[in-house]
Amino acid sequence: SQQGEEDPQALSIQEGENATMNCSYKTSINNLQWYRQNSGRGLVHLILIRSNEREKHSGRLRVTLDTSKKSSSLLITASRAADTASYFCAPNYGGSQGNLIFGKGTKLSVKP
Amino acid sequence: NAGVMQNPRHLVRRRGQEARLRCSPMKGHSHVYWYRQLPEEGLKFMVYLQKENIIDESGMPKERFSAEFPKEGPSILRIQQVVRGDSAAYFCASSPDSYGYTFGSGTRLTVV
């Protein structure tokens, strides 16, 4: 399967702590994207990291990519209750296979 | 830019009826993707379309499901003779270049 595999499946932390989610994939990618989904809502694009990039930041989010290990991580620093959501990684293989394939995600719960 | 618009937000159909789900991509986006999400599951790819062309329908059930993206107007996902197992959230995403996706808020189909 070409989907990303998120780990852990569920994560529960206290407000203010950092949350780290990992993603592994199988074959060479063009880029990898992280999305968030609040319960009952659509997906929101968070960050796209290209295959030639190793790290990217956006506000409290930090994404790393290790193409040699075929893995990526999403770090949310100083988490807030509003960060409670499911987080999905989606490897993008580009070209005619431009469709993103999503795993089951990591369900993050941030307790106030 | 209004984003990706999906309608209706909620759709209730009796078994055997037809369901039509609409998706208007963002302005300037020529790539449209449909995904299905069952409760507590990740998104499953269904079909990838460009204007008047189906690029990849590898995720579409062989029967009862069809999709189109005409030259004018929204993309339509059509489910004929719906069954209870079709109950799910259906998400549409659009992209200008098959890389960065924007998702709609989804249509929740309930078959009774």
Side-chain angles (χ1 to χ4, degrees), chain B residues 3 10-11 14 19 41 44-45 63 65 67 70 79 82 96 102 106-107:
Chain B
H10 300 274
L11 181 62
R14 295 188 185 281
E41 296 276 332
K44 299 296 183 191
F45 168 75
E63 296 176 349
F65 285 72
I79 311 172
V82 295
T102 301
T107 292

Side-chain angles (χ1 to χ4, degrees), chain B residues 6-7 11 18-23 32-36 46-47 49 60-61 64-69 74-80 89-92 107 109:
Chain B
Q6 287 190 250
N7 66 81
L11 181 62
E18 179 179 287
R20 277 184 181 243
L21 288 63
R22 293 175 195 78
C23 169
V32 166
Y33 309 82
W34 285 94
Y35 288 81
R36 176 165 62 178
M46 298 183 76
V47 62
L49 309 108
M60 287 276 272
R64 302 188 298 108
F65 285 72
S66 62
E68 63 176 6
F69 187 18
S75 175
I76 306 285
L77 179 67
R78 183 179 173 211
I79 311 172
Q80 295 178 291
Y90 292 82
F91 291 95
C92 167
T107 292
L109 172 66

Side-chain angles (χ1 to χ4, degrees), chain A residues 3 16-17 28 38 45 50 52 54 59 63 68 78 82 96 111-112:
Chain A
Q3 69 188 49
E17 293 181 338
S28 296
N38 290 85
H45 182 264
R50 300 188 190 282
N52 61 352
R54 291 295 164 259
V63 167
S68 66
S96 62
K111 298 187 184 343

Side-chain angles (χ1 to χ4, degrees), chain A residues 25-43:
Chain A
Y25 56 93
K26 295 258 168 41
T27 63
S28 296
I29 56 171
N30 184 289
N31 64 69
L32 185 141
Q33 302 177 34
W34 283 91
Y35 288 80
R36 182 185 72 215
Q37 184 181 35
N38 290 85
S39 181
R41 307 295 295 273
L43 273 71

Side-chain angles (χ1 to χ4, degrees), chain A residues 14-26:
Chain A
Q14 294 293 133
E15 218 168 19
E17 293 181 338
N18 295 342
T20 299
M21 289 158 269
N22 301 298
C23 169
S24 58
Y25 56 93
K26 295 258 168 41

